[in-house]
Amino acid sequence: MSFNREMDACSILNERRNVSSPSEAIDWDSLEQMPLGGKTIPEWLSELDAIAKEVEAELVSRDIGCHLVEVLEAVNLVLFESRGLTRSPVLVNSKHSYLHSVLSSRCGSAILLSIIYIEVCRRLGLTIVGSRVGEDFLIWPQTGYPEELFKVTSGHSLFAIVNGRCVEDPRSMASDLTGTSLLGLEIATNRDIIGIALANLIRLHWKRASRSNHGLMLTSPLRHVNDTGEKPNMMDKSNVPLLRPQDLRLAIMASERLLILQPHNWALRRDHGMMLYYNREYGKAVQELSICMAFAPEEEAEILEPFVEKLHLMRLESSWKSLGHTGRLT
């Protein structure tokens, strides 16, 4: 465990040479005071206000009324041409998944760009709704006549103007949507949108944390424990792979917040418990996985049970050695 702590420290120093020591850390009185990329959270949110004002100025300069199509074209002009926001084709950089870094770097994930689009339009008095379709998150103006969104004017439909090229990509499920099928989609609530963003963060940070262990999955240890052909001591502290600690902690933090939204999601709680196991927080892992067993289907609970029992013994052994005892706990 001492060796693992040294490896963690080296990993942090290699990733961030300017990391501050605990003695240098500042305790902020409130979250709103904490700076992110040189600005506070209220200051970043005011950026959305500024974008909305730029759209209003664009509409005034055109000397036109507030027709829906004209408003959306002005929003697109400001966001994607004046501001230069672009969608990241492959989500590999965590900066593309946080609002403040997207506004500063001008490159973001589909869900973050959708959130910005929705918020800017809300400030203009226009309601934009959205739904997950396959791998895409699509948005459109709320209207009682959805078929109007698919009428082609100037070579594009209103639906394409809002969602970009993915609507016209035959490989995308969005290309098959019509006014009728759009009505069948479940509109995402704010809670759903936050859940999608957090789930993306969990996947991204876990992938980054485990990238030196090719093919490692959160549930890999469960297969080893339940495989009768494996050696009895397959699960041991020395066999826990070393992961990039910063990304692992960020994945755990995102998972904690998603559990607040989905406390009865047994698969999410299982994955959260497994991340705690990889982080060598065995006591917390036992607690989370035990709760998971109460919600999980019977066949999944049977897979978890032997793992939780061995994890409990690992926790006892750690506490045994911390008291100065030697030898294995039998």
Side-chain angles (χ1 to χ4, degrees):
M1 292 182 74
S2 175
F3 171 74
N4 286 339
R5 281 194 293 269
E6 290 179 11
M7 290 295 291
D8 280 357
C10 289
S11 179
I12 291 175
L13 289 174
N14 287 335
E15 289 188 23
R16 288 187 62 189
R17 291 291 180 181
N18 61 341
V19 65
S20 60
S21 64
S23 60
E24 297 171 348
I26 301 174
D27 291 329
W28 304 102
D29 294 332
S30 66
L31 190 65
E32 286 72 20
Q33 295 179 359
M34 186 178 70
L36 292 168
K39 296 181 181 179
T40 63
I41 292 176
E43 287 173 336
W44 282 116
L45 292 177
S46 67
E47 280 287 304
L48 299 175
D49 299 329
I51 294 173
K53 291 187 182 302
E54 288 178 30
V55 175
E56 290 175 345
E58 174 65 24
L59 291 171
V60 169
S61 67
R62 295 185 183 191
D63 193 25
I64 56 175
C66 292
H67 188 272
L68 179 60
V69 176
E70 298 287 354
V71 174
L72 293 176
E73 286 180 345
V75 172
N76 279 18
L77 178 68
V78 171
L79 283 179
F80 305 119
E81 294 187 30
S82 301
R83 291 268 178 163
L85 291 177
T86 58
R87 174 177 171 176
S88 174
V90 181
L91 192 57
V92 294
N93 192 333
S94 61
K95 290 184 177 181
H96 299 163
S97 296
Y98 292 96
L99 180 63
H100 71 285
S101 52
V102 171
L103 289 172
S104 59
S105 69
R106 302 172 189 261
C107 184
S109 64
I111 188 67
L112 258 293
L113 291 184
S114 296
I115 290 171
I116 292 172
Y117 206 107
I118 290 170
E119 287 299 310
V120 169
C121 288
R122 185 176 66 83
R123 285 160 171 77
L124 296 169
L126 180 60
T127 300
I128 301 289
V129 296
S131 180
R132 194 164 196 168
V133 179
E135 295 298 317
D136 294 306
F137 186 83
L138 304 177
I139 55 176
W140 62 92
Q142 193 174 44
T143 174
Y145 305 96
E147 60 273 6
E148 292 184 351
L149 301 175
F150 294 88
K151 290 181 180 178
V152 177
T153 56
S154 303
H156 295 283
S157 67
L158 190 59
F159 198 61
I161 290 175
V162 175
N163 290 291
R165 286 188 292 247
C166 69
V167 173
E168 299 165 351
D169 186 349
R171 297 169 298 178
S172 170
M173 293 178 65
S175 62
D176 298 326
L177 285 174
T178 64
T180 303
S181 58
L182 196 66
L183 289 173
L185 295 179
E186 185 176 353
I187 302 300
T189 63
N190 287 346
R191 192 186 192 92
D192 295 331
I193 292 173
I194 293 170
I196 294 170
L198 286 172
N200 287 348
L201 283 173
I202 295 170
R203 286 194 295 270
L204 173 64
H205 285 301
W206 167 254
K207 186 176 180 180
R208 287 168 57 87
S210 61
R211 70 182 184 185
S212 60
N213 298 271
H214 184 69
L216 180 66
M217 298 175 62
L218 278 170
T219 55
S220 295
L222 299 179
R223 293 200 302 269
H224 292 317
V225 170
N226 289 276
D227 190 343
T228 55
E230 295 284 355
K231 295 180 181 180
N233 64 345
M234 186 65 194
M235 181 179 165
D236 186 84
K237 289 192 290 291
S238 60
N239 291 321
V240 178
L242 290 175
L243 306 177
R244 299 176 70 183
Q246 278 189 305
D247 279 299
L248 181 57
R249 282 194 291 272
L250 288 168
I252 291 172
M253 290 167 66
S255 180
E256 287 171 345
R257 283 147 182 79
L258 188 52
L259 275 172
I260 295 173
L261 297 180
Q262 304 174 17
H264 298 106
N265 186 331
W266 71 267
L268 174 61
R269 195 168 291 276
R270 177 202 62 194
D271 292 348
H272 182 66
M274 295 307 298
M275 283 188 282
L276 291 171
Y277 157 72
Y278 281 113
N279 205 38
R280 296 182 290 281
E281 298 180 68
Y282 302 123
K284 292 182 179 179
V286 167
Q287 180 179 345
E288 290 297 328
L289 293 175
S290 298
I291 296 172
C292 170
M293 289 168 61
F295 296 109
E298 185 177 352
E299 60 273 16
E300 296 291 342
E302 290 176 354
I303 294 174
L304 281 169
E305 187 174 6
F307 181 83
V308 173
E309 289 176 355
K310 293 190 177 186
L311 199 58
H312 183 63
L313 292 176
M314 290 171 64
R315 183 185 65 167
L316 289 176
E317 186 175 5
S318 296
S319 62
W320 176 260
K321 289 183 177 180
S322 70
L323 295 174
H325 300 293
T326 59
R328 295 186 63 81
L329 184 69
T330 58

PDB file of all heavy atoms in Angstrom, residues 289-312:
ATOM      1  N   LEU A 289     -21.493  -1.965  -2.589  1.00  0.00           N
ATOM      2  CA  LEU A 289     -21.848  -3.212  -3.269  1.00  0.00           C
ATOM      3  C   LEU A 289     -22.893  -3.997  -2.478  1.00  0.00           C
ATOM      4  O   LEU A 289     -23.708  -4.710  -3.068  1.00  0.00           O
ATOM      5  CB  LEU A 289     -20.586  -4.057  -3.494  1.00  0.00           C
ATOM      6  CG  LEU A 289     -19.580  -3.450  -4.480  1.00  0.00           C
ATOM      7  CD1 LEU A 289     -18.316  -4.292  -4.542  1.00  0.00           C
ATOM      8  CD2 LEU A 289     -20.190  -3.328  -5.869  1.00  0.00           C
ATOM      9  N   SER A 290     -22.879  -3.866  -1.155  1.00  0.00           N
ATOM     10  CA  SER A 290     -23.906  -4.522  -0.340  1.00  0.00           C
ATOM     11  C   SER A 290     -25.272  -3.897  -0.607  1.00  0.00           C
ATOM     12  O   SER A 290     -26.278  -4.606  -0.701  1.00  0.00           O
ATOM     13  CB  SER A 290     -23.553  -4.417   1.148  1.00  0.00           C
ATOM     14  OG  SER A 290     -22.333  -5.076   1.431  1.00  0.00           O
ATOM     15  N   ILE A 291     -25.306  -2.568  -0.735  1.00  0.00           N
ATOM     16  CA  ILE A 291     -26.566  -1.886  -1.075  1.00  0.00           C
ATOM     17  C   ILE A 291     -27.010  -2.309  -2.473  1.00  0.00           C
ATOM     18  O   ILE A 291     -28.201  -2.564  -2.718  1.00  0.00           O
ATOM     19  CB  ILE A 291     -26.391  -0.355  -1.007  1.00  0.00           C
ATOM     20  CG1 ILE A 291     -26.076   0.084   0.430  1.00  0.00           C
ATOM     21  CG2 ILE A 291     -27.649   0.358  -1.515  1.00  0.00           C
ATOM     22  CD1 ILE A 291     -25.707   1.549   0.556  1.00  0.00           C
ATOM     23  N   CYS A 292     -26.049  -2.414  -3.393  1.00  0.00           N
ATOM     24  CA  CYS A 292     -26.358  -2.820  -4.768  1.00  0.00           C
ATOM     25  C   CYS A 292     -27.022  -4.191  -4.794  1.00  0.00           C
ATOM     26  O   CYS A 292     -27.979  -4.412  -5.558  1.00  0.00           O
ATOM     27  CB  CYS A 292     -25.076  -2.837  -5.603  1.00  0.00           C
ATOM     28  SG  CYS A 292     -25.276  -3.579  -7.238  1.00  0.00           S
ATOM     29  N   MET A 293     -26.562  -5.112  -3.961  1.00  0.00           N
ATOM     30  CA  MET A 293     -27.116  -6.468  -3.951  1.00  0.00           C
ATOM     31  C   MET A 293     -28.593  -6.470  -3.579  1.00  0.00           C
ATOM     32  O   MET A 293     -29.348  -7.361  -3.980  1.00  0.00           O
ATOM     33  CB  MET A 293     -26.312  -7.347  -2.992  1.00  0.00           C
ATOM     34  CG  MET A 293     -24.919  -7.694  -3.500  1.00  0.00           C
ATOM     35  SD  MET A 293     -23.869  -8.436  -2.229  1.00  0.00           S
ATOM     36  CE  MET A 293     -24.814  -9.914  -1.828  1.00  0.00           C
ATOM     37  N   ALA A 294     -29.018  -5.463  -2.815  1.00  0.00           N
ATOM     38  CA  ALA A 294     -30.427  -5.387  -2.413  1.00  0.00           C
ATOM     39  C   ALA A 294     -31.332  -4.984  -3.576  1.00  0.00           C
ATOM     40  O   ALA A 294     -32.514  -5.335  -3.593  1.00  0.00           O
ATOM     41  CB  ALA A 294     -30.587  -4.400  -1.268  1.00  0.00           C
ATOM     42  N   PHE A 295     -30.765  -4.248  -4.568  1.00  0.00           N
ATOM     43  CA  PHE A 295     -31.552  -3.782  -5.707  1.00  0.00           C
ATOM     44  C   PHE A 295     -31.361  -4.644  -6.950  1.00  0.00           C
ATOM     45  O   PHE A 295     -32.217  -4.652  -7.833  1.00  0.00           O
ATOM     46  CB  PHE A 295     -31.184  -2.336  -6.075  1.00  0.00           C
ATOM     47  CG  PHE A 295     -31.510  -1.332  -5.004  1.00  0.00           C
ATOM     48  CD1 PHE A 295     -30.506  -0.704  -4.267  1.00  0.00           C
ATOM     49  CD2 PHE A 295     -32.825  -1.014  -4.716  1.00  0.00           C
ATOM     50  CE1 PHE A 295     -30.803   0.215  -3.291  1.00  0.00           C
ATOM     51  CE2 PHE A 295     -33.137  -0.086  -3.737  1.00  0.00           C
ATOM     52  CZ  PHE A 295     -32.131   0.523  -3.014  1.00  0.00           C
ATOM     53  N   ALA A 296     -30.221  -5.339  -7.034  1.00  0.00           N
ATOM     54  CA  ALA A 296     -29.852  -6.049  -8.255  1.00  0.00           C
ATOM     55  C   ALA A 296     -30.732  -7.280  -8.476  1.00  0.00           C
ATOM     56  O   ALA A 296     -31.266  -7.854  -7.523  1.00  0.00           O
ATOM     57  CB  ALA A 296     -28.384  -6.456  -8.189  1.00  0.00           C
ATOM     58  N   PRO A 297     -30.887  -7.718  -9.736  1.00  0.00           N
ATOM     59  CA  PRO A 297     -31.564  -8.982 -10.013  1.00  0.00           C
ATOM     60  C   PRO A 297     -30.841 -10.136  -9.306  1.00  0.00           C
ATOM     61  O   PRO A 297     -29.651 -10.041  -9.002  1.00  0.00           O
ATOM     62  CB  PRO A 297     -31.449  -9.113 -11.540  1.00  0.00           C
ATOM     63  CG  PRO A 297     -31.237  -7.725 -12.032  1.00  0.00           C
ATOM     64  CD  PRO A 297     -30.467  -7.015 -10.961  1.00  0.00           C
ATOM     65  N   GLU A 298     -31.560 -11.210  -9.065  1.00  0.00           N
ATOM     66  CA  GLU A 298     -31.018 -12.316  -8.263  1.00  0.00           C
ATOM     67  C   GLU A 298     -29.725 -12.868  -8.847  1.00  0.00           C
ATOM     68  O   GLU A 298     -28.759 -13.117  -8.124  1.00  0.00           O
ATOM     69  CB  GLU A 298     -32.065 -13.427  -8.164  1.00  0.00           C
ATOM     70  CG  GLU A 298     -31.642 -14.564  -7.245  1.00  0.00           C
ATOM     71  CD  GLU A 298     -32.726 -15.619  -7.095  1.00  0.00           C
ATOM     72  OE1 GLU A 298     -33.851 -15.384  -7.592  1.00  0.00           O
ATOM     73  OE2 GLU A 298     -32.456 -16.660  -6.494  1.00  0.00           O
ATOM     74  N   GLU A 299     -29.670 -13.029 -10.178  1.00  0.00           N
ATOM     75  CA  GLU A 299     -28.464 -13.602 -10.791  1.00  0.00           C
ATOM     76  C   GLU A 299     -27.259 -12.678 -10.631  1.00  0.00           C
ATOM     77  O   GLU A 299     -26.118 -13.139 -10.486  1.00  0.00           O
ATOM     78  CB  GLU A 299     -28.701 -13.918 -12.268  1.00  0.00           C
ATOM     79  CG  GLU A 299     -29.078 -12.736 -13.148  1.00  0.00           C
ATOM     80  CD  GLU A 299     -30.563 -12.447 -13.173  1.00  0.00           C
ATOM     81  OE1 GLU A 299     -31.291 -12.948 -12.286  1.00  0.00           O
ATOM     82  OE2 GLU A 299     -31.005 -11.703 -14.074  1.00  0.00           O
ATOM     83  N   GLU A 300     -27.492 -11.351 -10.665  1.00  0.00           N
ATOM     84  CA  GLU A 300     -26.395 -10.396 -10.476  1.00  0.00           C
ATOM     85  C   GLU A 300     -25.942 -10.377  -9.018  1.00  0.00           C
ATOM     86  O   GLU A 300     -24.745 -10.266  -8.729  1.00  0.00           O
ATOM     87  CB  GLU A 300     -26.835  -9.002 -10.907  1.00  0.00           C
ATOM     88  CG  GLU A 300     -27.156  -8.863 -12.383  1.00  0.00           C
ATOM     89  CD  GLU A 300     -25.914  -8.973 -13.260  1.00  0.00           C
ATOM     90  OE1 GLU A 300     -24.798  -8.815 -12.731  1.00  0.00           O
ATOM     91  OE2 GLU A 300     -26.083  -9.216 -14.465  1.00  0.00           O
ATOM     92  N   ALA A 301     -26.887 -10.482  -8.091  1.00  0.00           N
ATOM     93  CA  ALA A 301     -26.543 -10.517  -6.667  1.00  0.00           C
ATOM     94  C   ALA A 301     -25.695 -11.738  -6.338  1.00  0.00           C
ATOM     95  O   ALA A 301     -24.778 -11.668  -5.512  1.00  0.00           O
ATOM     96  CB  ALA A 301     -27.809 -10.506  -5.825  1.00  0.00           C
ATOM     97  N   GLU A 302     -25.958 -12.865  -6.996  1.00  0.00           N
ATOM     98  CA  GLU A 302     -25.174 -14.079  -6.769  1.00  0.00           C
ATOM     99  C   GLU A 302     -23.736 -13.915  -7.246  1.00  0.00           C
ATOM    100  O   GLU A 302     -22.819 -14.501  -6.672  1.00  0.00           O
ATOM    101  CB  GLU A 302     -25.836 -15.254  -7.489  1.00  0.00           C
ATOM    102  CG  GLU A 302     -27.161 -15.689  -6.857  1.00  0.00           C
ATOM    103  CD  GLU A 302     -27.848 -16.780  -7.652  1.00  0.00           C
ATOM    104  OE1 GLU A 302     -27.337 -17.118  -8.762  1.00  0.00           O
ATOM    105  OE2 GLU A 302     -28.899 -17.291  -7.197  1.00  0.00           O
ATOM    106  N   ILE A 303     -23.537 -13.123  -8.296  1.00  0.00           N
ATOM    107  CA  ILE A 303     -22.174 -12.851  -8.777  1.00  0.00           C
ATOM    108  C   ILE A 303     -21.440 -11.937  -7.806  1.00  0.00           C
ATOM    109  O   ILE A 303     -20.240 -12.105  -7.542  1.00  0.00           O
ATOM    110  CB  ILE A 303     -22.230 -12.218 -10.185  1.00  0.00           C
ATOM    111  CG1 ILE A 303     -22.793 -13.220 -11.198  1.00  0.00           C
ATOM    112  CG2 ILE A 303     -20.849 -11.727 -10.620  1.00  0.00           C
ATOM    113  CD1 ILE A 303     -23.025 -12.634 -12.574  1.00  0.00           C
ATOM    114  N   LEU A 304     -22.171 -10.964  -7.258  1.00  0.00           N
ATOM    115  CA  LEU A 304     -21.550  -9.987  -6.360  1.00  0.00           C
ATOM    116  C   LEU A 304     -21.218 -10.573  -4.993  1.00  0.00           C
ATOM    117  O   LEU A 304     -20.230 -10.161  -4.368  1.00  0.00           O
ATOM    118  CB  LEU A 304     -22.477  -8.779  -6.180  1.00  0.00           C
ATOM    119  CG  LEU A 304     -22.511  -7.740  -7.303  1.00  0.00           C
ATOM    120  CD1 LEU A 304     -23.658  -6.772  -7.090  1.00  0.00           C
ATOM    121  CD2 LEU A 304     -21.189  -6.991  -7.369  1.00  0.00           C
ATOM    122  N   GLU A 305     -22.011 -11.501  -4.512  1.00  0.00           N
ATOM    123  CA  GLU A 305     -21.871 -11.975  -3.126  1.00  0.00           C
ATOM    124  C   GLU A 305     -20.474 -12.485  -2.784  1.00  0.00           C
ATOM    125  O   GLU A 305     -19.881 -12.033  -1.795  1.00  0.00           O
ATOM    126  CB  GLU A 305     -22.927 -13.046  -2.843  1.00  0.00           C
ATOM    127  CG  GLU A 305     -22.951 -13.472  -1.379  1.00  0.00           C
ATOM    128  CD  GLU A 305     -24.083 -14.425  -1.070  1.00  0.00           C
ATOM    129  OE1 GLU A 305     -24.798 -14.856  -2.011  1.00  0.00           O
ATOM    130  OE2 GLU A 305     -24.269 -14.750   0.116  1.00  0.00           O
ATOM    131  N   PRO A 306     -19.872 -13.418  -3.572  1.00  0.00           N
ATOM    132  CA  PRO A 306     -18.520 -13.880  -3.208  1.00  0.00           C
ATOM    133  C   PRO A 306     -17.477 -12.779  -3.282  1.00  0.00           C
ATOM    134  O   PRO A 306     -16.527 -12.762  -2.490  1.00  0.00           O
ATOM    135  CB  PRO A 306     -18.232 -14.991  -4.222  1.00  0.00           C
ATOM    136  CG  PRO A 306     -19.169 -14.749  -5.350  1.00  0.00           C
ATOM    137  CD  PRO A 306     -20.386 -14.126  -4.760  1.00  0.00           C
ATOM    138  N   PHE A 307     -17.656 -11.833  -4.214  1.00  0.00           N
ATOM    139  CA  PHE A 307     -16.710 -10.722  -4.314  1.00  0.00           C
ATOM    140  C   PHE A 307     -16.785  -9.844  -3.064  1.00  0.00           C
ATOM    141  O   PHE A 307     -15.752  -9.449  -2.505  1.00  0.00           O
ATOM    142  CB  PHE A 307     -17.018  -9.887  -5.562  1.00  0.00           C
ATOM    143  CG  PHE A 307     -16.081  -8.723  -5.767  1.00  0.00           C
ATOM    144  CD1 PHE A 307     -14.853  -8.892  -6.377  1.00  0.00           C
ATOM    145  CD2 PHE A 307     -16.431  -7.446  -5.341  1.00  0.00           C
ATOM    146  CE1 PHE A 307     -13.991  -7.820  -6.555  1.00  0.00           C
ATOM    147  CE2 PHE A 307     -15.584  -6.369  -5.513  1.00  0.00           C
ATOM    148  CZ  PHE A 307     -14.361  -6.558  -6.134  1.00  0.00           C
ATOM    149  N   VAL A 308     -18.003  -9.542  -2.610  1.00  0.00           N
ATOM    150  CA  VAL A 308     -18.187  -8.706  -1.419  1.00  0.00           C
ATOM    151  C   VAL A 308     -17.616  -9.396  -0.190  1.00  0.00           C
ATOM    152  O   VAL A 308     -16.997  -8.762   0.669  1.00  0.00           O
ATOM    153  CB  VAL A 308     -19.683  -8.368  -1.222  1.00  0.00           C
ATOM    154  CG1 VAL A 308     -19.906  -7.652   0.105  1.00  0.00           C
ATOM    155  CG2 VAL A 308     -20.184  -7.500  -2.363  1.00  0.00           C
ATOM    156  N   GLU A 309     -17.779 -10.711  -0.095  1.00  0.00           N
ATOM    157  CA  GLU A 309     -17.236 -11.461   1.048  1.00  0.00           C
ATOM    158  C   GLU A 309     -15.717 -11.360   1.079  1.00  0.00           C
ATOM    159  O   GLU A 309     -15.119 -11.123   2.140  1.00  0.00           O
ATOM    160  CB  GLU A 309     -17.675 -12.920   0.962  1.00  0.00           C
ATOM    161  CG  GLU A 309     -19.163 -13.140   1.254  1.00  0.00           C
ATOM    162  CD  GLU A 309     -19.579 -14.581   1.076  1.00  0.00           C
ATOM    163  OE1 GLU A 309     -18.734 -15.399   0.627  1.00  0.00           O
ATOM    164  OE2 GLU A 309     -20.750 -14.904   1.376  1.00  0.00           O
ATOM    165  N   LYS A 310     -15.068 -11.540  -0.068  1.00  0.00           N
ATOM    166  CA  LYS A 310     -13.603 -11.454  -0.108  1.00  0.00           C
ATOM    167  C   LYS A 310     -13.128 -10.019   0.115  1.00  0.00           C
ATOM    168  O   LYS A 310     -12.083  -9.788   0.737  1.00  0.00           O
ATOM    169  CB  LYS A 310     -13.096 -11.981  -1.451  1.00  0.00           C
ATOM    170  CG  LYS A 310     -13.326 -13.476  -1.616  1.00  0.00           C
ATOM    171  CD  LYS A 310     -12.600 -14.040  -2.829  1.00  0.00           C
ATOM    172  CE  LYS A 310     -12.795 -15.545  -2.912  1.00  0.00           C
ATOM    173  NZ  LYS A 310     -12.001 -16.156  -3.983  1.00  0.00           N
ATOM    174  N   LEU A 311     -13.906  -9.063  -0.388  1.00  0.00           N
ATOM    175  CA  LEU A 311     -13.563  -7.658  -0.180  1.00  0.00           C
ATOM    176  C   LEU A 311     -13.649  -7.311   1.305  1.00  0.00           C
ATOM    177  O   LEU A 311     -12.818  -6.552   1.832  1.00  0.00           O
ATOM    178  CB  LEU A 311     -14.520  -6.785  -0.988  1.00  0.00           C
ATOM    179  CG  LEU A 311     -14.110  -5.335  -1.280  1.00  0.00           C
ATOM    180  CD1 LEU A 311     -12.793  -5.291  -2.029  1.00  0.00           C
ATOM    181  CD2 LEU A 311     -15.195  -4.648  -2.108  1.00  0.00           C
ATOM    182  N   HIS A 312     -14.627  -7.875   1.976  1.00  0.00           N
ATOM    183  CA  HIS A 312     -14.772  -7.664   3.421  1.00  0.00           C
ATOM    184  C   HIS A 312     -13.555  -8.216   4.156  1.00  0.00           C
ATOM    185  O   HIS A 312     -13.041  -7.580   5.096  1.00  0.00           O
ATOM    186  CB  HIS A 312     -16.050  -8.333   3.907  1.00  0.00           C
ATOM    187  CG  HIS A 312     -16.333  -8.114   5.367  1.00  0.00           C
ATOM    188  ND1 HIS A 312     -16.575  -6.865   5.900  1.00  0.00           N
ATOM    189  CD2 HIS A 312     -16.389  -8.981   6.411  1.00  0.00           C
ATOM    190  CE1 HIS A 312     -16.778  -6.965   7.206  1.00  0.00           C
ATOM    191  NE2 HIS A 312     -16.671  -8.241   7.531  1.00  0.00           N
TER     192      HIS A 312
END
